[in-house]
Amino acid sequence: MTRVLVIGAGGVFGSRLAEGLLHNGFEVVAAGRDADRAEAVVARLRQTVPEGVVDAAALDTATLTAADLEATGATIVADAAGPFQGTDARTARAAIAAGLHYVDLADARDFVAAFPALDSAAKAAGAVLLTGCSSTPALSNAVLDRLTAGWREVVSVEAAISPGARAPRGLSVMRAILSWLGRPVSVFDDGRWTRRTGWSGLHRRDFGAAGRRRVSLCETPDLDLFHARYHPRERALFLAGLEPWPAHLEAWLLGRLVRLFKFDPRPLARVLLQLSGWHSVSGSDRGAMRVEAFGVDGEGRAARAIWRLVAEPGAGPVTPTLPALAAIKAIAAGRVAAGAGPCVGVLPLEDIVAEMAPHGLVMETTVERGAIYASAIGPAFDELPGAIRALHEAPGRSLWRGEATTEGAHGPLAAAAARLIGFPKAQPACPAAVAIEADGQRSVWRRRIGGHAFTSVLSAPRDGGRLTERFGPLTMDLRLEPEGGRLIYRVEGWRLGPIPLPRALAPSACAHEEVDAQGRFVFDVEISAPLIGRLVRYHGWLVRES
């Protein structure tokens, strides 16, 4: 029977890992710095799993040696103590010296990045050493491996975690968060490496049954591993949130203060832990995780794939331990080769999901078209000419250049309305460019015709070919109709800001797209308003710039 040493067995995650190991027939040595506390942990575990074999050990990771590990009789070491930020891999090195296998639950970016330096020594000792056997990076990468399998291109990837309001938060977890909150974080965004502030941004994400929640930038190993493993063209993010919403906002405000006054918030860990306890009386107690990929699937179509996990009250804290449990099983079965590195590309998602079954964790995966035109039009979109589909289905950023002619407004009132919206004046044939940013939920079109630029935002795709297009303060409700190899635009309603305007006064659009003899995308748009006449007409052709 395999014997596993669990360091930090009295903590939030270590105790759940130890219990999971006992339920799966492993012998456990529950270790901590304090001998009395370790014995108390053993007593609880024996009560919870009476049939389990569990012993206590007093170990301090600051002074740990190979002899200390050997004395426990374990063949696998599981480090769940944390925090790992700013620490070295002393325990892992001691495991190599003792010839033992090793896993940990590290979510520290610096720790995981430095870990492969142990690879040669681990192979020489015949030992398996895996770091990050937790929600990040092990589970998040296993999910992305599945979501992007067979894809031709990945444009962006994102993972987000939002624990329940009453999920236990240990002191080490709080210190880990405070180590990067409000401080510069290196992020791959907008197609380049840049600096953002830890816990910046108040993004809102849909966690399915757990509802829509606020999340902010979190520093984890995935910020590096997502880029290294999936090569996203534009973005790789990891976000985290707190429940309830006021607790998340307070953390966001603290991050702003840290950034402004340049102080170390880690000494506040105990106070903030107490504050989080006060907040736990409100907010959802469901834990949630979300992983999203956006790109081009194996059939060459824009795709958006989302995986969600929802943990019912009390089940959330076990989730980060399940990849470690799956990894220990794989190591014990001899399915992992010797060496040291992050726990990515090692465990298939099925191995981790198998450990979720006893805990009431609910998962769902949705894969949808990653282009709003395809979502709105439905199957008929795929019957449009290739040049039209290519422009409307290009994921992420794309640039299209060509030539256009514009015809200006009819009369002074039409000209005033055109200026308000941002439409161009009359121009003869001149260079035209359209820069499109599409994320699968909306598309931003930045047009430049001659020396004139104007922008519109297309969003809210709905069945029946319906979506909205906003020009400045004016929003039009459109219906898209494929017809004889062309795509026709029709206006069904309009608004000024949030205010609906009378249908009788709605602008009319005579607009269509088609393909010319050279195979180029061709557009012809004329927008008019009742009583005042034409606001603008622009027509021409575009091809994609490499």
Side-chain angles (χ1 to χ4, degrees):
M1 186 177 295
T2 303
R3 189 172 176 86
V4 181
L5 170 65
V6 180
I7 299 173
V12 172
F13 302 128
S15 60
R16 288 163 174 81
L17 176 59
E19 186 175 329
L21 289 165
L22 291 171
H23 278 304
N24 281 275
F26 290 90
E27 292 184 1
V28 169
V29 180
R33 286 191 300 268
D34 183 86
D36 291 338
R37 186 180 178 189
E39 290 289 354
V41 170
V42 167
R44 290 199 303 271
L45 289 171
R46 286 173 176 166
Q47 187 174 16
T48 304
V49 191
E51 70 278 11
V53 177
V54 55
D55 299 307
L59 294 173
D60 187 345
T61 54
T63 59
L64 193 67
T65 65
D68 295 331
L69 297 180
E70 290 172 345
T72 67
T75 56
I76 301 175
V77 179
D79 189 350
F84 293 89
Q85 282 79 2
T87 64
D88 64 11
R90 183 186 185 95
T91 303
R93 289 198 301 270
I96 293 173
L100 305 181
H101 304 302
Y102 165 97
V103 301
D104 66 42
L105 277 67
D107 62 356
R109 187 177 185 178
D110 56 345
F111 185 93
V112 173
F115 202 82
L118 303 175
D119 186 58
S120 296
K123 288 176 177 175
V128 177
L129 281 81
L130 297 175
T131 186
C133 304
S134 190
S135 302
T136 168
L139 177 55
S140 53
N141 278 261
V143 171
L144 280 172
D145 286 345
R146 177 54 49 83
L147 294 183
T148 62
W151 280 22
R152 298 181 185 180
E153 181 186 26
V154 175
V155 174
S156 64
V157 293
E158 176 186 291
I161 291 179
S162 178
R166 284 169 284 284
R169 297 181 177 95
L171 187 60
S172 64
V173 173
M174 183 62 71
R175 285 173 174 159
I177 294 172
L178 294 177
S179 70
W180 48 259
L181 185 141
R183 299 183 179 184
V185 173
S186 180
V187 179
F188 187 76
D189 198 7
D190 291 330
R192 61 189 178 89
W193 285 100
T194 186
R195 291 280 183 172
R196 301 280 188 263
T197 302
W199 212 266
S200 62
L202 291 173
H203 310 284
R204 200 173 183 188
R205 294 293 184 266
D206 181 3
F207 286 90
R212 295 182 67 83
R213 299 183 177 185
R214 297 286 184 177
V215 287
S216 298
L217 177 63
C218 175
E219 182 165 59
T220 76
D222 280 330
L223 294 180
D224 295 320
L225 292 169
F226 284 170
H227 182 263
R229 301 191 71 237
Y230 305 104
H231 309 290
R233 170 158 48 94
E234 295 187 4
R235 186 170 296 108
L237 293 179
F238 197 100
L239 309 172
L242 293 175
E243 278 288 298
W245 158 239
H248 186 90
L249 181 60
E250 288 167 8
W252 180 83
L253 290 171
L254 177 59
R256 302 278 288 186
L257 292 174
V258 171
R259 180 184 179 187
L260 182 63
F261 295 106
K262 311 295 184 187
F263 67 93
D264 185 354
R266 283 175 291 185
L268 302 174
R270 292 187 184 277
V271 174
L272 295 174
L273 204 58
Q274 181 64 50
L275 287 174
S276 71
W278 295 344
H279 277 300
S280 67
V281 298
S282 62
S284 171
D285 199 26
R286 283 175 162 174
M289 183 172 177
R290 181 180 188 276
V291 180
E292 176 179 344
F294 178 53
V296 180
D297 67 15
E299 299 179 3
R301 303 184 303 186
R304 184 167 173 256
I306 302 172
W307 175 91
R308 296 182 181 90
L309 177 148
V310 176
E312 292 303 318
V318 76
T319 306
T321 71
L322 300 180
L325 178 57
I328 290 169
K329 284 186 175 181
I331 292 170
R335 299 199 308 268
V336 186
C343 189
V344 296
V346 175
L347 299 173
L349 181 59
E350 290 81 5
D351 282 12
I352 304 175
V353 168
E355 305 305 331
M356 296 180 178
H359 302 286
L361 302 174
V362 179
M363 288 162 289
E364 64 171 358
T365 300
T366 59
V367 180
E368 57 193 36
R369 295 296 290 268
I372 60 173
Y373 276 59
S375 298
I377 296 171
F381 177 83
D382 292 324
E383 299 174 7
L384 287 166
I388 296 177
R389 286 186 285 108
L391 184 137
H392 292 300
E393 198 164 27
R397 298 170 185 263
S398 59
L399 179 61
W400 304 77
R401 294 189 184 275
E403 185 177 275
T405 298
T406 62
E407 300 172 22
H410 275 167
L413 289 178
R419 283 196 299 271
L420 177 65
I421 298 169
F423 289 147
K425 297 178 181 179
Q427 298 180 84
C430 58
V434 181
I436 301 176
E437 296 178 26
D439 63 7
Q441 297 176 292
R442 71 172 198 160
S443 293
V444 180
W445 288 40
R446 294 183 171 87
R447 304 169 179 86
R448 178 171 290 276
I449 299 176
H452 191 93
F454 62 109
T455 299
S456 69
V457 179
L458 295 122
S459 61
R462 304 176 299 285
D463 290 344
R466 289 171 169 83
L467 50 75
T468 64
E469 184 168 20
R470 177 172 55 82
F471 291 90
L474 180 67
T475 298
M476 293 187 289
D477 295 316
L478 304 177
R479 187 173 78 251
L480 311 174
E481 295 182 345
E483 185 178 293
R486 304 199 305 176
L487 183 59
I488 311 297
Y489 289 65
R490 304 188 191 281
V491 178
E492 293 192 324
W494 67 314
R495 297 183 298 280
L496 185 63
I499 304 170
L501 298 175
R503 283 284 300 273
L505 300 178
S508 62
C510 180
H512 70 270
E513 299 167 352
E514 58 185 340
V515 177
D516 66 12
Q518 288 77 42
R520 302 177 302 193
F521 174 89
V522 172
F523 58 92
D524 191 334
V525 180
E526 181 173 348
I527 300 175
S528 302
L531 305 179
I532 62 174
R534 186 181 70 206
L535 303 181
V536 70
R537 181 188 179 199
Y538 51 96
H539 53 94
W541 57 267
L542 296 168
V543 294
R544 186 169 185 175
E545 184 173 275
S546 300

